[in-house]
Amino acid sequence: MSNKIKACNDFVIRFANVNGSGSASANQLFSKVVFRSGVPVSAKNIFPSNIQGLPTWFEVRISENGYLGRRGGYDFVVAVNGQTMWKDYQELEPGGYFFYDSSKQLPDTYHRDDVTHLGVPLTDIANSHYTEPRLRQIFKNIIYVGALAYLFDMDFSVFEDSIARQFSKKEKLIAPNIQALKLGFDYAQMYHQGVCQLQIHRRDLNGDQIMMEGNDAAGLGAVFAGATVAGWYPITPSTSVVEAFEKHCKKYRVDDSGKNKFAILQAEDELAAIGMVIGASWNGARAFTATSGPGVSLMSEFLGLAYFAEIPVVLMDIQRAGPSTGMPTRTQQSDVLSAAYASHGDTKHVLLFPSDPKECFEFTVQAFDLAESLQTPVILMSDLDLGMNVHQCDPIDWNDCYRYQRGKVLSAQDLDDMTERWGRYLDIDGDGVPYRTLPGTHPEKGAFFTRGSSHDEYATYTEDGSVYARGMKRLLLKWQTAKQKVPSAAIKTMGHHDGMVYYGTSAYAAKEALVHIQRIHAIDSMCLKSFPFGSEVSEFLASHQRIFLVEQNRDAQMKTLLVNELGVSPDKIISVLNYDGMPVTAQFIRDQVTTYFASTPHALGNQS
């Protein structure tokens, strides 16, 4: 047998389970214990779109160096799903460890001499201690977590504390779960002593960081942004955004009398949902909706209305793999173009690209300010990986002195003080953004007719082509103003000839890949945060001879946007494209870029 993989606080473990078996909570318990041990950890829950029965995987990256993206490859596999066991076995790294339920003998075909086999009779142990079928299944998962605690030489007291926290409101469940952990721990100690060379030891590397889902952070951000209305239609993977908003509203949006100070309306479809948001925003409420790619397609006409009638709208697009139904529970960055230019005619929408839960919170707050300041739709471009997985990130901060930016809203006094005629679409400041009024502001002044048809500066219907063109030109001026308000790209440059560009959740793997690439080739980097692109983006692209652009879609959509908006030569941008529905790995990015340097191909392929 080849040498075993030996590592402390630096390896990848893959749990292979069956959807609906209760394994997710056990696997999450394991990752939380790693985090509470002071070791950086990243977990990916990879689940099917059906309710029960199909394979599911849970991938945990333990990295003392703080790498939180997918590395690529698996050093340890917990194989408790017979449907995928052979595939999981074959994908294990040489020198890795194969943990399986030895209640049944492993088939003779499982004879790799570069793998350490770790059999634990999970089913037999569970059946001998529990009589109820459901408890047998649930505690079987906890038993293998207990075995891992021994195999990885982990502090068992952290598991006990985590169980106590998890069931603090159901204390009767604490002792049975700890008992199940002990069953697995004791068996591994008796039969596999000294076999595993992977270890997880306590460190103090996480500081005050937290673990949070991106959708939860976005829902909380909406509350702190002052949102009081959500119109939505359920769709994976965005549903938990509104669920989080409701949860946090029940904590922060209920007055002393118990009256709710928020409204959440489940619509009959996505069109109705965005219509509700437009109506609420037009009336002065801060309102939003959350959806995914299919919903963006259906909402496009209403987004065009909001753009042309200049009504603030916040939309959270939690992207998934398309087209059509695609893979509803797999991640991609494949709505970039459809969101940027949503609707027919000449439209451009502000996009924000968060990379972690902290940015989901901060960009959500900023999205409401931008929508009202610019009087236009603003779309938060998250994805399934960020939205539905728990990520380690810096703590969320909030300044109680923060004041919302409501933009150019005229009060009754403002209207009374005006000597000139007010025009709803009249640009008097030269920034392309007109002044607006809210319904009921003044009994006689400030009223206007909101229309999606062509209008002049005073909201009067017109088919005069020159007037229409004048209004469209003003919207372009507003677009220039938006460039000064959106988040700037994060740039690290030392004046090298080559650069790498990435955005959103690609940042996790890209940052790690850059560390390895920079050992053999000097390269700068830029993480895009928003669209429209600021001057810093143009300057970065202009100052580098070649740009490697990491995207999680097939058609290089961000490349198209950069070429279209900034006039960059397409030949200058080398696409690194992953579109298999799994979060891109650092290994894939590194291999693609280093291969290019070695052979200079014209295109780079998809991650396998």
Side-chain angles (χ1 to χ4, degrees), residues 18-39:
V18 176
N19 196 39
S21 65
S23 59
S25 59
N27 300 338
Q28 288 166 355
L29 168 66
F30 175 80
S31 63
K32 288 178 181 178
V33 168
V34 176
F35 176 77
R36 288 170 180 160
S37 300
V39 181

Side-chain angles (χ1 to χ4, degrees), residues 564-582:
N564 188 48
E565 295 292 324
L566 301 181
V568 184
S569 170
D571 295 336
K572 186 175 188 175
I573 300 177
I574 302 102
S575 291
V576 180
L577 304 175
N578 168 58
Y579 47 92
D580 62 1
M582 297 287 287

Side-chain angles (χ1 to χ4, degrees), residues 67 511-521 586 590 594:
Y67 297 133
K511 290 177 181 178
E512 180 179 356
L514 279 165
V515 173
H516 298 283
I517 294 168
Q518 287 167 342
R519 292 171 182 166
I520 59 173
H521 191 91
R590 181 180 70 244
T594 55

Side-chain angles (χ1 to χ4, degrees), residues 273-293:
I274 189 72
M276 292 172 177
V277 172
I278 291 174
S281 298
W282 178 83
N283 273 282
R286 285 199 154 184
F288 76 98
T289 189
T291 192
S292 191

Side-chain angles (χ1 to χ4, degrees), residues 183-430:
L183 290 172
F185 187 96
D186 292 345
Y187 185 93
Q189 186 178 41
M190 182 176 295
Y191 293 100
H192 296 300
Q193 189 170 9
V195 175
C196 184
Q197 300 298 306
L198 300 176
Q199 298 175 324
I200 300 174
H201 288 172
R202 275 182 176 264
R203 296 288 189 266
D204 188 18
L205 301 173
N206 293 332
D208 59 353
Q209 289 197 319
I210 62 172
M211 296 187 77
M212 194 172 194
E213 290 182 355
N215 283 356
D216 191 19
L220 181 63
V223 174
F224 274 76
T228 56
V229 177
W232 71 302
Y233 184 78
I235 181 173
T236 302
S238 72
T239 298
S240 57
V241 173
V242 180
E243 291 174 342
F245 178 68
E246 180 183 21
K247 176 186 69 175
H248 295 303
C249 278
K250 288 180 177 178
K251 183 176 182 180
Y252 297 113
R253 285 268 187 278
V254 179
D255 65 19
D256 294 338
S257 68
K259 182 179 179 181
N260 290 339
K261 308 295 287 186
F262 63 94
I264 300 175
L265 302 98
Q266 180 173 333
E268 62 268 31
D269 54 34
E270 285 87 351
L271 283 79
I274 189 72
M276 292 172 177
V277 172
I278 291 174
S281 298
W282 178 83
N283 273 282
R286 285 199 154 184
F288 76 98
T289 189
T291 192
S292 191
V296 173
S297 297
L298 291 170
M299 294 177 180
S300 290
E301 185 174 358
F302 260 143
L303 285 169
L305 168 64
Y307 173 81
F308 196 47
E310 301 182 62
I311 301 171
V313 168
V314 171
L315 168 63
M316 301 180 192
D317 178 11
I318 317 303
Q319 299 169 91
R320 71 189 205 190
S324 187
T325 303
M327 293 192 292
T329 59
R330 295 291 185 266
T331 196
Q332 273 190 7
Q333 296 173 311
S334 54
D335 298 344
V336 174
L337 290 176
S338 62
Y341 301 126
S343 188
H344 53 279
D346 294 322
T347 53
K348 294 183 181 183
H349 301 300
V350 175
L351 310 181
L352 303 179
F353 304 107
S355 295
D356 61 27
K358 180 178 174 65
E359 286 191 340
C360 282
F361 175 88
E362 293 173 344
F363 285 9
T364 296
V365 174
Q366 193 164 359
F368 284 94
D369 282 353
L370 287 168
E372 291 201 302
S373 296
L374 297 168
Q375 301 173 29
T376 198
V378 175
I379 307 176
L380 185 81
M381 303 295 289
S382 182
D383 58 36
L384 184 146
D385 176 28
L386 177 53
M388 295 191 70
N389 283 320
V390 175
H391 294 262
Q392 181 174 330
C393 66
D394 290 332
I396 291 173
D397 299 318
W398 181 256
N399 184 350
D400 288 335
C401 296
Y402 184 86
R403 293 294 178 266
Y404 304 137
Q405 299 174 28
R406 304 305 303 264
K408 297 179 178 181
V409 180
L410 295 174
S411 66
Q413 188 62 53
D414 292 331
L415 291 167
D416 280 334
D417 291 342
M418 292 182 66
T419 57
E420 68 281 6
R421 181 188 177 190
W422 171 70
R424 169 63 183 94
Y425 299 110
L426 189 64
D427 178 17
I428 64 174
D429 296 326

Side-chain angles (χ1 to χ4, degrees), residues 51 68 170 256 510 575:
I51 296 175
L68 299 178
K170 298 179 180 179
D256 294 338
S575 291

